[in-house]
Amino acid sequence: MAPQYEFMDHFDPLWDGSPYKAVPTDKPDFIEYANQLKTTEGFHVEVIPKSKYYSLIVPERVDSKYTIEAANLAVEEFNRLKGADLKLSKILNANCLLVSRALFFLTLQCVDGCFYEAKIYLGFGTESNELVMFRPAKYYPRPSRKDNDTNEEGCSEA
């Protein structure tokens, strides 16, 4: 069983799980992309529409310098804020949205055997880092998988 922490999981109306409301000019690949994001709160995306007109949440390599930095910062900041003692074991999935800072959507496994999701802004230059979410994983394994081998606390059933 996972240790009981006060997790950071504030409601964000952008990620309410409701279907994306398409407009007539939307292309089918964008509608599919938007629905993937809405149903997984940005943690999983497989279809990426081609566009130069809007910022996209896109997959990021789990072994990239910035993904590793964001993951370590997320765990460290959660530990600092909540008095936890989690240690990162593995980065399972990463998505990123580049705005003035990089917003990472991370799926992590810690040495306690549990899976977590974190959203963290990684600042560039004078921009600061900001952990905005850290919680037991809701979308791991990926929602499309039929076998669900995690319990409600995001820990392995093994």
Side-chain angles (χ1 to χ4, degrees):
M1 176 175 238
Q4 299 300 309
Y5 301 116
E6 182 181 330
F7 290 101
M8 301 169 64
D9 187 12
H10 308 289
F11 176 73
D12 183 342
L14 180 63
W15 309 108
D16 65 2
S18 64
Y20 171 72
K21 293 179 181 24
V23 295
T25 56
D26 284 342
K27 294 188 166 125
D29 61 342
F30 180 80
I31 295 168
E32 185 176 354
Y33 166 81
N35 279 314
Q36 285 179 19
L37 292 176
K38 287 202 53 103
T39 59
T40 67
E41 299 180 53
F43 285 98
H44 297 287
V45 62
E46 294 168 359
V47 174
I48 303 170
K50 293 181 175 126
S51 176
K52 57 184 176 185
Y53 300 108
Y54 43 77
S55 296
L56 298 173
I57 296 172
V58 296
E60 181 65 35
R61 290 183 27 206
V62 297
D63 61 350
S64 82
K65 170 184 167 184
Y66 297 110
T67 301
I68 294 167
E69 181 180 353
N72 284 318
L73 283 169
V75 173
E76 288 169 14
E77 184 66 359
F78 179 75
N79 285 342
R80 187 185 72 74
L81 291 171
K82 302 299 180 178
D85 189 30
L86 295 175
K87 292 185 180 23
L88 181 64
S89 173
K90 186 175 184 180
I91 303 168
L92 302 164
N93 193 61
N95 287 337
C96 185
L97 171 66
L98 289 175
V99 283
S100 64
R101 301 180 282 178
L103 176 58
F104 281 87
F105 299 74
L106 303 168
T107 305
L108 311 170
Q109 183 175 22
C110 289
V111 296
D112 63 359
C114 295
F115 304 98
Y116 300 94
E117 291 167 341
K119 289 183 187 177
I120 185 168
Y121 283 100
L122 189 59
F124 301 114
T126 59
E127 295 289 328
S128 62
N129 302 318
E130 179 186 4
L131 181 64
V132 293
M133 173 196 282
F134 196 98
R135 68 177 184 205
K138 287 170 115 176
Y139 304 107
Y140 184 81
R142 289 181 184 259
S144 60
R145 285 187 48 185
K146 300 244 186 287
D147 61 311
N148 186 354
D149 56 3
T150 60
N151 63 24
E152 59 202 25
E153 286 105 19
C155 294
S156 288
E157 293 286 6

